[in-house]
Amino acid sequence: MQNGQIDHYKTLGVDRLATFEEIKNRYRQLVLQLHPDKSQNLDTSAYEQVSNAWKVLKDANSRLRYDNEILNKGVKEDGIINENVDLEEMEFNQDTLDYTYGCRCSGNYIINEEDLERGVDIVGCDMCSLKIRVLYELNE
Ligand SMILES: [Zn+2]
């Protein structure tokens, strides 16, 4: 099992854009420092992390797959789209003619009829960086 929480680039102390040579050199350095046979340190977890990172990053294909994984994870964490919400689930406010939907941060997503007419469907929370996609059908 691969642990998605560990950033292999950080483990090796290289840049995301590091070349294979850079990664390889860095790995060799670290292995010399951390190899259980050489170090007095009985904790081998650092060494294991380094060799796991190397296993993933030394191969162009598995590195690409890993890069895509972090990318997808990053998108979720940045809250590009937190949730799809049906317009009917949103609360309509008669006074302001807005539709609101509560964010988990206790902020609100607000979309108004003008936005809907313009075809806007991505709405940001007014308190945090999360966004939702509002699902609705455009009435002509
Ligand atoms: Zn929020």
Side-chain angles (χ1 to χ4, degrees):
M1 273 298 285
Q2 188 186 323
N3 189 341
Q5 302 305 106
I6 291 169
D7 185 329
H8 294 320
Y9 291 99
K10 270 194 203 138
T11 300
L12 293 180
V14 294
D15 194 86
R16 289 259 161 98
L17 301 172
T19 63
F20 174 75
E21 285 300 312
E22 285 167 344
I23 294 174
K24 188 175 72 181
N25 291 338
R26 188 72 190 131
Y27 166 71
R28 285 190 175 157
Q29 272 178 10
L30 288 170
V31 159
L32 287 177
Q33 287 168 21
L34 299 170
H35 198 284
D37 291 347
K38 304 213 171 178
S39 77
Q40 315 296 336
N41 195 344
L42 295 174
D43 178 12
T44 59
S45 63
Y47 175 75
E48 279 159 18
Q49 274 187 29
V50 165
S51 52
N52 279 338
W54 171 242
K55 260 183 231 155
V56 172
L57 299 183
K58 71 177 172 182
D59 176 78
N61 285 325
S62 71
R63 183 178 174 186
L64 191 68
R65 229 178 300 132
Y66 176 69
D67 284 348
N68 285 333
E69 260 172 48
I70 349 186
L71 204 68
N72 289 335
K73 199 164 154 275
V75 167
K76 276 184 209 128
E77 279 172 0
D78 289 347
I80 298 302
I81 300 294
N82 176 42
E83 208 181 325
N84 289 326
V85 177
D86 199 292
L87 186 62
E88 285 167 18
E89 293 172 46
M90 298 182 74
E91 202 171 310
F92 185 65
N93 185 320
Q94 297 283 357
D95 300 329
T96 55
L97 303 179
D98 291 333
Y99 293 86
T100 58
Y101 185 78
C103 177
R104 63 175 183 222
C105 77
S106 84
N108 279 304
Y109 301 103
I110 302 171
I111 193 166
N112 60 36
E113 301 214 296
E114 203 179 299
D115 293 330
L116 297 175
E117 278 160 23
R118 284 189 293 137
V120 172
D121 62 351
I122 307 294
V123 187
C125 171
D126 60 359
M127 302 266 289
C128 73
S129 64
L130 292 175
K131 293 183 173 66
I132 57 167
R133 184 192 304 279
V134 180
L135 307 172
Y136 63 96
E137 302 210 341
L138 279 177
N139 299 319
E140 292 305 310

